[in-house]
Amino acid sequence: MSRRQISPNSLKILYRLNEAGFQAYIVGGGVRDLLLMQTPKDFDIATDATPEEIKKIFGNARIIGRRFKIVHIQFGREIIEVSTFRAAPENSVAIVGDSLARKVTHLDSAHSENGMLLRDNVYGDIEGDVMRRDFTVNALYYTVQNFAIHDYVQGMADIQRRTLRMIGDPLQRYREDPVRVLRAIRLAAKLDFAIEKNTAAPLQDCARLLESIPPARLFDECLKLFFAGQAQKTYRLLKQYGVFQILFPATGELLDQNDEGTRVLLENALENTDSRIREGKSVTPAFLLAAILWPPLHKLFGQKLAAGTQPLPAMHESAQTIIMAQLERLSIPKRYSIPMREIWEYQLQLPRRSGKHAEIMLGHKRFRAAYDFLLLRESAGEDLQGLGQWWTDYQNASAPEREKMQAEQMKTRHNTRTRKRKRRVKSPGSHSEQ
Ligand code: ATP
Ligand code: MG
């Protein structure tokens, strides 16, 4: 592994910690990705220095204490995470009680009844640290003392075999932290690795455990699942192991009923996401979430129309219901849920194209997303009578052509209205018109 590919700032931290008499390693995705010739997202550091000791060495260090107490060291825009070796959860007390008493600043490891790890701030040594990592390929420790990689769990062999293997007993490790279910799927898709048999076996049953994860953490993990360039592959694995159905229950239900429109819409939306990322275009969680939730929304909307509700309130009420239900699983921040709703509501506006409407629509800040969304719906088989093509043509048209298109709409609209009126006289009970 060449030092040139490693962020100079993280190397600097390793040297400074070594000079102060501590062990220090780069570990996790940074080492793994370099060995696989991929570009690492970040370089995490593990050390036997406590957060307080680290802070004394680095002026630019901040102790962060959410789930674990870790240290962030900031160099300009780069933030490097440094964490103190933690004891392996299952035998933390034993390890702490033996040789590592010096490191124990607080005894703070707790499990819930179902084996979930609640807190684990018990400091340990490198061997303990290895055991609390998830997969063997994530537990390779790189040191600048002899530029070697320390491998306690045959992670190198698994890199070569392109295999994702859980350290320890997979079932127990998923129970300790169900987010590992998502990590297994995300990393298998990202690295194009096979999930080792015993590591894969409990996935299906453990998917349910994700229900106990706070919706905010689950949402963060969800973004990582779908915006790392492998959304489609990730989604297929999520579905295969029954995890997608847990994350998005309403959409999952339609998939389980083999609803073809839902299946195609999701495949296309995720494929678009991946190709946009490949082309360096922007991707927004709001758009993808709007797509994932569209099938159940559309179904509910249809039911409300059939029951006689007007389109606009029907859309509002359906959006409210679908979002409220989804929030129980994933806490979607307002900055995503608001544009998501707008994309949906615009689907009711896009058919109105006569007179000035078309021009006003085009100027809206959400037009582009709403138009892309319309194309997505059509690609999944919704028959919108050429609406997408109309908007494509309209955007490409010259000013006089646009006026002609608007005028034509005016005529069709007039015709539809008279037709509707006539029909209404014939069948006053009909609610099928919009
Ligand atoms: P990415 O490429 O997404 O950064 P990563 O493996 O580096 O992948 P991080 O979230 O950056 O993922 O975590 C860094 C390391 O911390 C992991 O490689 C793993 O060793 C350990 N780790 C992270 N999350 C868990 C977890 N839930 N359980 C056990 N170990 C974990
Ligand atoms: Mg990482």
Side-chain angles (χ1 to χ4, degrees):
M1 217 171 79
S2 161
R3 250 170 300 161
R4 263 173 317 178
Q5 296 158 289
I6 302 175
S7 111
N9 290 326
S10 49
L11 289 174
K12 215 180 293 174
I13 296 174
L14 295 188
Y15 283 112
R16 295 259 301 269
L17 283 166
N18 287 166
E19 279 160 24
F22 295 108
Q23 301 171 38
Y25 301 88
I26 295 176
V27 62
V31 180
R32 179 198 69 213
D33 290 353
L34 282 185
L35 290 169
L36 291 166
M37 310 290 178
Q38 296 195 9
T39 314
K41 235 171 42 192
D42 41 40
F43 293 93
D44 295 319
I45 293 178
T47 175
D48 62 349
T50 63
E52 291 74 19
E53 286 166 331
I54 302 165
K55 205 171 147 54
K56 268 189 215 136
I57 303 174
F58 300 94
N60 46 346
R62 254 177 347 131
I63 297 179
I64 308 287
R66 246 190 27 206
R67 262 165 57 79
F68 312 117
K69 221 168 165 192
I70 53 166
V71 179
H72 278 178
I73 304 186
Q74 183 147 13
F75 297 88
R77 284 175 54 202
E78 190 181 11
I79 294 175
I80 295 171
E81 216 169 274
V82 183
S83 37
T84 306
F85 292 148
R86 267 185 290 273
E90 54 275 31
N91 51 6
S92 52
V93 178
I95 289 179
V96 163
D98 292 358
S99 54
L100 283 151
R102 189 191 76 82
K103 287 295 169 210
V104 185
T105 48
H106 38 292
L107 245 175
D108 193 13
S109 188
H111 286 78
S112 71
E113 292 150 44
N114 55 11
M116 191 151 85
L117 200 57
L118 298 178
R119 295 180 305 266
D120 69 342
N121 254 338
V122 183
Y123 300 135
D125 59 2
I126 186 165
E127 273 101 346
D129 200 73
V130 167
M131 299 319 285
R132 56 153 283 279
R133 298 202 172 256
D134 43 11
F135 307 103
T136 59
V137 296
N138 284 345
L140 295 167
Y141 292 72
Y142 173 81
T143 161
V144 288
Q145 287 190 318
N146 53 359
F147 308 112
I149 290 175
H150 291 240
D151 178 6
Y152 296 85
V153 284
Q154 274 112 56
M156 280 297 224
D158 283 332
I159 293 248
Q160 266 144 20
R161 280 191 288 249
R162 305 186 75 82
T163 298
L164 203 64
R165 184 191 311 270
M166 184 71 87
I167 298 171
D169 174 48
L171 179 59
Q172 187 190 336
R173 303 301 312 279
Y174 292 128
R175 283 196 182 139
E176 270 171 18
D177 181 3
V179 166
R180 290 173 187 150
V181 169
L182 297 181
R183 288 180 57 83
I185 289 170
R186 176 168 72 83
L187 290 173
K190 167 183 159 151
L191 306 171
D192 198 21
F193 271 30
I195 307 178
E196 182 268 330
K197 195 163 64 43
N198 295 318
T199 304
L203 279 175
Q204 184 103 37
D205 283 343
C206 290
R208 256 182 333 104
L209 301 177
L210 289 165
E211 290 172 4
S212 63
I213 299 294
R217 182 167 179 222
L218 219 44
F219 182 77
D220 291 345
E221 293 297 329
C222 241
L223 291 188
K224 290 191 212 156
L225 289 172
F226 294 123
F227 295 98
Q230 294 295 351
Q232 203 180 22
K233 218 154 84 191
T234 307
Y235 159 72
R236 287 181 184 162
L237 288 174
L238 288 172
K239 214 166 69 167
Q240 181 189 335
Y241 291 112
V243 178
F244 185 83
Q245 293 83 329
I246 299 288
L247 297 177
F248 298 98
T251 311
E253 198 176 310
L254 291 174
L255 285 173
D256 286 342
Q257 294 162 8
N258 289 319
D259 186 86
E260 184 63 7
T262 306
R263 191 188 68 78
V264 180
L265 187 96
L266 290 192
E267 287 281 342
N268 292 353
L270 293 157
E271 194 183 295
N272 285 351
T273 306
D274 287 342
S275 56
R276 286 185 69 95
I277 291 176
R278 262 197 311 278
E279 293 159 19
K281 293 185 189 163
S282 67
V283 284
T284 125
F287 186 89
L288 186 61
L289 289 167
I292 293 176
L293 295 175
W294 175 257
L297 174 89
H298 194 214
K299 188 175 163 196
L300 188 58
F301 175 69
Q303 287 165 349
K304 288 193 186 282
L305 288 184
T309 314
Q310 288 300 304
L312 204 57
M315 181 56 85
H316 280 151
E317 290 167 18
S318 311
Q320 187 66 13
T321 307
I322 295 291
I323 291 176
M324 288 317 278
Q326 185 58 49
L327 286 180
E328 303 214 345
R329 217 34 72 75
L330 301 177
S331 60
I332 305 172
K334 284 238 160 52
R335 68 177 180 285
Y336 300 132
S337 63
I338 291 171
M340 197 169 98
R341 255 178 223 265
E342 286 171 356
I343 290 170
W344 289 340
E345 282 164 14
Y346 267 100
Q347 301 309 303
L348 295 184
Q349 302 293 328
L350 286 168
R352 304 178 59 204
R353 295 156 281 172
S354 55
K356 286 262 166 289
H357 274 305
E359 213 51 35
I360 293 170
M361 287 290 295
L362 213 53
H364 270 298
K365 76 167 192 276
R366 214 62 77 191
F367 173 78
R368 187 75 217 181
Y371 162 73
D372 285 343
F373 199 83
L374 183 73
L375 296 186
L376 177 69
R377 291 169 59 199
E378 288 187 332
S379 80
E382 272 191 63
D383 181 9
L384 303 170
Q385 279 132 40
L387 189 56
Q389 189 59 50
W390 191 93
W391 277 107
T392 308
D393 295 342
Y394 187 79
Q395 291 174 82
N396 293 329
S398 65
E401 282 167 346
R402 283 186 181 183
E403 260 174 51
K404 222 170 98 199
M405 291 176 80
Q406 293 164 7
E408 271 163 24
Q409 282 304 312
M410 204 67 141
K411 264 189 270 158
T412 16
R413 191 169 142 224
H414 180 76
N415 291 345
T416 342
R417 280 204 169 167
T418 27
R419 240 192 357 256
K420 267 190 202 171
R421 218 168 281 139
K422 277 185 202 144
R423 223 185 292 161
R424 224 172 260 156
V425 177
K426 276 190 216 148
S427 59
S430 163
H431 295 294
S432 63
E433 300 280 342
Q434 293 184 31

